[in-house]
Amino acid sequence: MSLTRAQVEGIARLARLQITEEQLPVYVDRLSRIIDFVEQLSAAKTDDVEPMAHPLAGQVQRLRADEVRETDQHEKYQRNAASVAAGLYLVPKVIE
Amino acid sequence: MEWETVIGLEIHAQLATRSKIFSESSTAYGAAPNTQANLVDLGYPGVLPVLNSAAVRMAVRFGLATGATVRRRSIFARKNYFYPDLPKGYQISQYELPIVEDGSLDILLEDGSRKSIGITRAHLEEDAGKSLHEGFQGISGIDLNRAGTPLLEIVSEPDMRSAKEAIAYMKKVHTLVRYLGICDGNMQEGSFRCDANVSVRPQGQAALGTRAEIKNLNSFRFVERAINHEVVRQVGVLESGGSVVQETRLYDPDRNETRAMRSKEEANDYRYFPDPDLLPLVIDDALVEEVRGTLPELPDEKAARYCRDFELSAYDAGVLTASRDLAMYFEAVVEKLGGQPKLAANWVMGELSGALNRDGLEVDASRVPATALAGLLARIGDDTISGKLAKEVFEAMWSEGRGADEIIDAQGLRQITDSAAIEQAIDAIMAANPKQLAEYRSGKDKLFGFFVGQVMKATQGKANPAQLNELLKRKLGGA
Amino acid sequence: MHTLTVGEIAAGLAARRFSSVEITRHLLGRIERLGAGLNAFVTVTAERALQDAREADARLACGEGGPLTGVPIAHKDIFCTDGILTTCGSRMLDTFVAPYDATVVARWRSAGTVLLGKTNMDEFAMGSSNETSFFGPVRNPWDPARVPGGSSGGSAAAVAARLAPAASGTDTGGSIRQPAALTNLTGLKPTYGRVSRYGMIAFASSLDQAGVLARSAEDAARLLGAMAGFDPRDSTCVDSPVPDYHGALAVPLEGLRIGVLREFFDKGLDPRVGRLVRAAISALEERGASVREVSLPHLPLSVPTYYVVAPAECSSNLSRFDGVRFGHRCEKPRDLLDMYERSRGEGFGDEVKRRIMTGTYVLSAGYYDAYYLKAQKVRQLIAGDFARAFAEVDVVIGPTTPTAAFELGAKTSDPITMYLNDIYTIGANLAGLPAVSVPCGFVREGDRELPAGLQLIGPHFGEARLLGIAHQYQLMTDWHRRMPPGYE
């Protein structure tokens, strides 16, 4: 199943990935091949089958006690940030 | 063309847990930026969420209090979108299988009738951080302290037909979550937020019109004005031949108008899927029953009880039960007083609430505790002072923090109940006002009030009104 | 010293034949001489290694040592290591110093191991050849013109070349077992949930699992024991006791019911690898195991299933790499959108971008049911096939890979060709089953001998028995002792 250029551009935008003009045809080709390949799944009979979200059946979510256990380590963590001021992470303006 | 308004509300209530929904950071408000954001909240590579049991219990509480179904098995899903205040690039929420479904709340309409508003669902999710724009040129500062705070998103059926109904429902939910102790309802701090979905349709049409979602509504007044403005806007669009665009609009309180948000390039496709880092949330009957056992008397039940046992009006009962703290205060007064609920109700709704509002205090910070107010009311009941003077005593109690008796004695306010003393005062007034006396005796009944006023003045308001009335009638009548 | 196994090192340290500092120095020297040729390491932590070794020696001197005290190891660069560069093989994290230790790292550390460095890997664990790393491809010590497999290619090359006695790896679709097979190592992927994923940079959350690459099942058992167990910080981690894997290796082969997977012996399999695997099965039969054929009819759909589920999960897991709080940020972003698109466009390599986009597509409105939901249903069918098989047999056996190591660049033009390398390994990930690859012989290509791997798959939490069977096989054979020429 071939994806169109417009579809691939749309996906790239949703995923916030810049794909250049040169790269675009390669991506269209490769992604089309992948989607084509996974198309085989449609032949499988899955009418009464439950989707498997987790491999160990019967596992259920554990609940944690409501306790505060964290200390402030923001200075250590913010060493990895590209741009910080007054304890805030800085980004180009968010427009509502 | 008659238009009908259709409104649904989505309320986000921040749950009053100590730690966040998926991490062990504090949820306390007001900390310095990013000092309450740990690796899990920051979405660092390799971190994983673990669910807070208190958040689950609070959701169950809400479900039980609204007669909803508490799903025994619910799933967390990822809502994927990019925004700087959303560290992981997805919000952990619940999509197809939420923890609570199919509840309802009754609201009291202006005409006194009740209307049931459906609650489609309530689900657990994590809050995002905050973007700050002041003081920066072309840059925003991101504070992730709030990221990961537990939210209960409460979605109503589109059952409301006016802004007033919407406010009544919103207030009901606000009261309930505070009663349940699951949310502090502080709209200024953002712990109780409301989005309104508003549409209009020709009266009688079954199909819903296209709706607009209005955000940034952080007070009851804003909600009302925004909805009213939006209805006018939509009707205007439709009547001039246009169609309403399904979009998100922001309410601007300064201009009292809604405007479309700077639209994203394309509508967001959130690509919901079950979060593989979290397992299905399974709740057993034992937990549900345990939570049920901790439910307080709910506002409607309490109000009904007040009407029944205390013979208060539905309106008064409603006012007293609007806040659990106020209701508790009222009940404490009645208990200490050993009765007289109507008197207590009047004073709680009147003087007490007046003083609280004037000084901007919550009930739990009242300068006159319930037992003290009961003490004051007892002095009215036993004729120590008149109701009128009691108001002055109350003000003194409020500002000085002293008890009723202390103030009554200090100011010498005890009512005069000694008949002889009152008679003496009456005699003096009658003697000093022969003209009015003659006029009264010749038929000018209105002058009775004059004599009452004069005696009261002479006794500094301390004459017992009932006795004064009786004695005055007798004496003026010529005995 | 570099040819010693973990067990032999531990014994040597205990008997004071050498110290941890000595063996650590020796290995650091080898890494310096031979490491660059293989490109197995992204970061060599020489100072830290010596510090760890000194501490270990001190503990050993007081008699406070445990079975792994002083043993040098390496960690795949997917595990966060506090204060140490953690790149995940990507430009996105090329200067990222992790502020915490992954649980796996913390556990091996408290067991007294010595950290030699962080090994190279396919970018964000996406690959089967270690050719997608931002830091360049890793070479196979058995033939430097060939790949070592991926995504734990660096760990495999390091252990195979005797630069480290063992290393951690992760396996999402075969990323421990396949490189183990291509480099003559024993590679174990435990049951899903057996080992904590906290601190392991996520690729596909419902498939990822941490494990071990070592030179023998015995070594793997020791290291698994130190790594496994409940972690309250990972909701998917199972709370059940960890057996003494090393103490339970004496699994009797008599009466063992082996299932030979029909679907594994298909036309894609190199017949020479097939012969080696059948010979291994016969050897087990001779010791009293019974062999029958089993069929997992939905298994041929495992690769397309995986290539829907894994990209879907990774497309979401990698959204956190946005340049805001850590990781690569582009120069002079024009606005927010530009910052996102360029930071991510520059930070991620092509394979990662392809998988993110595939994942975004299969989760998107209108396609979710046909692709993602469908794949999760087929996944259920595959797991069901395995469950039925394990009602009749104790272990399922087959080849680990269809061929021996292929040449660098041979499969990079068509993604599907590369994906089909994982055809035998993916099923175990989809079903969350434990699986191990052990050396079972060599195939000749020109003047090179290239290793082949035998794969054993067990039921949930059956890794103890798998390691036992592997150990028994390694008592009968010495494939696993062979070393790549030039690295002895």
Side-chain angles (χ1 to χ4, degrees):
Chain A
M1 211 211 85
S2 253
L3 297 179
T4 65
R5 209 189 131 96
Q7 273 179 306
V8 174
E9 281 174 329
I11 295 166
R13 173 52 55 86
L14 260 186
R16 299 293 187 269
L17 294 171
Q18 184 191 61
I19 310 287
T20 63
E21 263 307 307
E22 291 150 355
Q23 294 171 315
L24 196 52
V26 179
Y27 274 90
V28 174
D29 170 65
R30 302 262 161 112
L31 287 171
S32 295
R33 288 204 227 179
I34 294 169
I35 300 302
D36 215 13
F37 174 68
V38 304
E39 213 60 59
Q40 303 171 49
L41 292 175
S42 58
K45 282 210 195 43
T46 55
D47 289 330
D48 289 310
V49 183
E50 280 297 304
M52 173 180 258
H54 298 99
L56 298 178
Q59 253 194 318
V60 299
Q61 178 62 34
R62 189 167 28 85
L63 299 178
R64 184 192 102 226
D66 184 23
E67 278 159 24
V68 174
R69 288 223 194 120
E70 290 298 330
T71 53
D72 172 22
Q73 294 197 69
H74 79 277
E75 275 168 29
K76 180 179 185 186
Y77 301 156
Q78 290 184 337
R79 275 181 226 145
N80 274 306
S83 179
V84 169
L88 296 164
Y89 294 96
L90 301 184
V91 297
K93 194 169 175 72
V94 171
I95 299 162
E96 308 261 82
Chain B
M1 169 79 90
E2 286 288 311
W3 295 96
E4 181 178 49
T5 304
V6 176
I7 302 161
L9 293 186
E10 277 172 26
I11 292 171
H12 287 88
Q14 260 183 13
L15 296 178
T17 55
R18 283 191 287 269
S19 62
K20 295 185 178 178
I21 189 171
F22 296 117
S23 82
E24 294 173 324
S25 299
S26 168
T27 56
Y29 183 83
N34 291 304
T35 55
Q36 281 174 192
N38 71 1
L39 294 171
V40 176
D41 306 324
L42 293 169
Y44 253 65
V47 301
L48 296 168
V50 186
L51 182 58
N52 184 335
S53 61
V56 175
R57 298 183 113 79
M58 290 185 181
V60 173
R61 252 164 115 75
F62 182 81
L64 293 175
T66 53
T69 304
V70 173
R71 273 196 161 275
R72 295 302 194 258
R73 187 168 185 277
S74 64
I75 304 289
F76 286 98
R78 294 188 184 180
K79 179 180 183 181
N80 295 281
Y81 65 96
F82 286 89
Y83 212 65
D85 66 6
L86 193 69
K88 295 187 292 294
Y90 60 85
Q91 176 196 30
I92 301 177
S93 177
Q94 294 189 298
Y95 184 56
E96 286 174 332
L97 297 178
I99 184 172
V100 165
E101 277 178 322
D102 298 332
S104 67
L105 276 181
D106 281 354
I107 57 173
L108 208 52
L109 301 178
E110 281 185 319
D111 65 2
S113 63
R114 302 188 82 84
K115 178 171 177 176
S116 175
I117 305 293
I119 295 174
T120 317
R121 52 185 277 154
H123 68 252
L124 288 167
E125 59 183 27
E126 56 179 352
D127 208 347
K130 283 197 190 142
S131 311
L132 302 163
H133 314 297
E134 282 101 49
F136 296 113
Q137 267 296 7
I139 290 182
S140 297
I142 309 297
D143 174 11
L144 295 167
N145 281 347
R146 200 181 66 176
T149 304
L151 294 177
L152 187 66
E153 178 174 331
I154 303 162
V155 181
S156 81
E157 291 285 331
D159 286 347
M160 290 153 274
R161 295 288 172 268
S162 69
K164 290 239 181 300
E165 286 186 13
I167 301 305
Y169 167 78
M170 188 177 163
K171 285 188 171 169
K172 201 65 187 283
V173 176
H174 189 252
T175 297
L176 181 62
V177 298
R178 287 176 308 142
Y179 256 75
L180 293 172
I182 65 178
C183 175
D184 68 14
N186 188 327
M187 290 192 270
Q188 276 70 42
E189 289 181 2
S191 31
F192 191 85
R193 318 198 286 256
C194 183
D195 298 336
N197 288 308
V198 181
S199 67
V200 298
R201 65 184 171 192
Q203 196 76 254
Q205 178 178 297
L208 292 170
T210 307
R211 66 166 199 261
E213 182 184 14
I214 310 175
K215 294 180 104 71
N216 192 33
L217 302 168
N218 56 15
S219 77
F220 296 115
R221 211 169 81 251
F222 286 178
V223 174
E224 186 164 9
R225 286 156 85 197
I227 291 174
N228 285 329
H229 172 268
E230 179 62 16
V231 168
V232 167
R233 185 192 75 85
Q234 288 192 15
V235 168
V237 165
L238 292 168
E239 282 184 340
S240 61
S243 45
V244 174
V245 174
Q246 180 171 333
E247 62 188 351
T248 305
R249 300 178 70 86
L250 270 184
Y251 176 65
D252 181 343
D254 299 323
R255 293 212 180 104
N256 188 29
E257 63 183 24
T258 62
R259 57 168 194 280
M261 281 176 78
R262 174 78 102 95
S263 62
K264 283 117 197 197
E265 255 64 8
E266 72 303 311
N268 250 322
D269 177 356
Y270 294 120
R271 289 156 280 137
Y272 285 99
F273 71 104
D275 192 329
D277 290 331
L278 291 165
L279 298 167
L281 174 59
V282 166
I283 292 171
D284 59 15
D285 289 349
L287 188 143
V288 173
E289 291 319 307
E290 192 212 304
V291 173
R292 199 193 298 278
T294 67
L295 287 177
E297 186 182 30
L298 298 177
D300 282 355
E301 291 164 13
K302 206 183 269 291
R305 179 165 66 84
Y306 288 2
C307 293
R308 208 177 49 240
D309 296 353
F310 299 148
E311 291 176 12
L312 297 183
S313 70
Y315 177 81
D316 286 356
V319 172
L320 288 167
T321 56
S323 133
R324 188 171 173 203
D325 286 344
L326 193 67
M328 298 277 92
Y329 186 100
F330 164 71
E331 288 176 21
V333 172
V334 172
E335 178 161 343
K336 189 74 205 260
L337 208 46
Q340 301 184 77
K342 287 213 176 82
L343 181 67
N346 289 338
W347 274 80
V348 169
M349 292 191 296
E351 268 62 42
L352 177 75
S353 294
L356 289 170
N357 285 337
R358 188 191 64 220
D359 291 359
L361 294 173
E362 293 297 321
V363 175
D364 57 7
S366 170
R367 298 219 180 97
V368 174
T371 46
L373 179 59
L376 174 63
L377 299 183
R379 290 290 165 264
I380 301 175
D382 66 14
D383 285 335
T384 305
I385 52 169
S386 68
K388 191 152 166 272
L389 266 182
K391 294 187 189 188
E392 289 175 34
V393 175
F394 179 82
E395 288 305 325
M397 286 165 74
W398 186 270
S399 53
E400 295 168 39
R402 294 196 289 166
D405 286 345
E406 251 190 278
I407 292 176
I408 289 171
D409 289 338
Q411 297 189 21
L413 298 174
R414 283 188 181 274
Q415 219 169 220
I416 300 170
T417 50
D418 173 9
S419 299
I422 298 177
E423 282 198 48
Q424 211 174 29
I426 293 174
D427 290 340
I429 295 299
M430 281 168 65
N433 297 280
K435 182 156 159 274
Q436 288 85 343
L437 181 58
E439 284 178 8
Y440 178 81
R441 283 184 174 156
S442 62
K444 227 173 174 189
D445 294 334
K446 275 199 317 200
L447 284 173
F448 189 83
F450 166 77
F451 282 102
V452 170
Q454 290 296 305
V455 176
M456 277 302 190
K457 214 161 89 180
T459 60
Q460 290 118 30
K462 290 189 282 195
N464 178 298
Q467 283 175 286
L468 169 57
N469 268 332
E470 205 202 300
L471 290 167
L472 198 53
K473 250 196 222 123
R474 212 164 15 101
K475 284 190 172 275
L476 290 176
Chain C
M1 264 199 285
H2 50 271
T3 60
L4 297 175
T5 63
V6 169
E8 288 163 350
I9 293 171
L13 289 169
R16 314 292 201 97
R17 280 199 288 279
F18 47 81
S19 68
S20 178
V21 167
E22 277 178 78
I23 185 166
T24 298
R25 280 221 169 91
H26 178 75
L27 291 171
L28 287 171
R30 270 179 77 78
I31 292 170
E32 218 181 293
R33 276 193 328 277
L34 305 165
L38 296 170
N39 200 20
F41 283 87
V42 174
T43 304
V44 178
T45 53
E47 259 180 58
R48 157 75 181 265
L50 290 168
Q51 191 194 313
D52 284 351
R54 278 191 289 269
E55 279 170 26
D57 283 334
R59 274 222 288 280
L60 287 163
C62 303
E64 281 166 21
L68 291 173
T69 307
V71 174
I73 50 92
H75 276 302
K76 181 174 181 180
D77 212 11
I78 198 172
F79 292 101
C80 286
T81 40
D82 194 1
I84 297 170
L85 192 65
T86 299
T87 68
C88 222
S90 179
R91 182 180 178 193
M92 181 57 85
L93 294 176
D94 65 350
T95 59
F96 177 71
V97 174
Y100 73 111
D101 273 345
T103 299
V104 161
V105 170
R107 287 194 177 166
W108 274 10
R109 186 176 196 179
S110 62
T113 60
V114 170
L115 178 63
L116 292 169
K118 308 296 292 296
T119 59
N120 202 349
M121 53 181 283
D122 275 309
E123 187 182 3
F124 282 103
M126 300 182 203
S128 314
S129 63
N130 221 129
E131 291 175 286
T132 68
S133 171
F134 176 64
F135 300 95
V138 175
R139 292 166 187 283
N140 192 325
W142 293 88
D143 180 350
R146 293 179 187 265
V147 304
S151 62
S152 311
S155 285
V159 177
R162 273 66 186 159
L163 305 182
S168 63
T170 62
D171 191 312
T172 303
S175 294
I176 286 176
R177 292 162 287 155
Q178 186 247 25
L182 301 190
T183 56
N184 207 46
L185 295 179
T186 302
L188 171 76
K189 179 197 92 67
T191 306
Y192 183 84
R194 178 76 281 185
V195 181
S196 169
R197 291 186 299 115
Y198 187 79
M200 193 174 115
I201 298 176
F203 160 20
S205 317
S206 75
L207 301 167
D208 293 344
Q209 192 59 192
V212 186
L213 288 112
R215 289 182 219 139
S216 67
E218 211 193 320
D219 279 358
R222 286 191 172 85
L223 288 157
L224 177 66
M227 176 192 264
F230 178 63
D231 179 5
R233 286 176 298 186
D234 175 2
S235 293
T236 59
C237 193
V238 170
D239 188 0
S240 74
V242 179
D244 176 8
Y245 296 112
H246 187 251
L249 293 170
V251 164
L253 295 175
E254 178 79 40
L256 182 70
R257 298 171 304 163
I258 293 175
V260 172
L261 200 40
R262 181 199 306 167
E263 284 80 13
F264 276 176
F265 289 85
D266 61 358
K267 58 180 173 10
L269 176 63
D270 180 328
R272 298 171 295 171
V273 173
R275 274 194 293 278
L276 290 171
V277 169
R278 290 208 183 276
I281 294 170
S282 300
L284 293 170
E285 241 182 322
E286 271 162 45
R287 289 303 183 88
S290 68
V291 175
R292 82 186 76 174
E293 196 182 62
V294 293
S295 171
L296 302 177
H298 297 97
L299 203 61
L301 289 174
S302 59
V303 181
T305 300
Y306 176 83
Y307 282 100
V308 169
V309 174
E313 293 182 2
C314 93
S315 71
S316 180
N317 284 331
L318 268 57
S319 293
R320 67 193 63 203
F321 299 105
D322 56 10
V324 175
R325 302 161 311 293
F326 49 78
H328 177 77
R329 186 192 281 208
C330 62
E331 291 281 315
K332 299 197 180 44
R334 281 192 313 275
D335 54 34
L336 193 59
L337 182 61
D338 183 50
M339 187 193 82
Y340 281 145
E341 292 189 337
R342 270 198 298 134
S343 300
R344 290 163 59 79
E346 291 167 7
F348 294 134
D350 284 330
E351 181 61 33
V352 170
K353 285 193 281 228
R354 260 198 297 278
R355 296 206 195 185
I356 290 175
M357 289 172 72
T358 303
T360 303
Y361 179 73
V362 302
L363 288 175
S364 63
Y367 297 105
Y368 178 87
D369 284 2
Y371 292 104
Y372 185 74
L373 203 57
K374 184 78 179 179
Q376 294 283 52
K377 291 182 177 186
V378 176
R379 184 177 178 179
Q380 186 80 251
L381 292 175
I382 293 168
D385 284 355
F386 271 109
R388 263 185 300 280
F390 286 122
E392 314 207 340
V393 300
D394 302 313
V395 60
V396 167
I397 289 192
T400 307
T401 60
T403 64
F406 46 90
E407 287 171 352
L408 284 156
K411 300 198 185 188
T412 49
S413 57
D414 178 10
I416 309 302
T417 316
M418 185 67 84
Y419 295 167
L420 288 171
N421 272 307
D422 301 330
I423 197 161
Y424 304 138
T425 49
I426 278 179
N429 299 88
L430 291 172
L433 301 168
V436 65
S437 177
V438 290
C440 67
F442 290 82
V443 155
R444 179 161 278 275
E445 286 292 352
D447 63 345
R448 299 273 179 178
E449 297 259 297
L450 301 175
L454 173 76
Q455 184 183 205
L456 299 101
I457 306 172
H460 290 132
F461 300 102
E463 39 275 302
R465 183 194 250 157
L466 290 182
L467 288 168
I469 299 168
H471 177 67
Q472 296 303 315
Y473 178 71
Q474 288 175 345
L475 289 174
M476 303 189 270
T477 59
D478 61 6
W479 304 120
H480 61 290
R481 282 190 232 282
R482 295 231 328 234
M483 289 180 265
Y487 293 95
E488 301 92 339

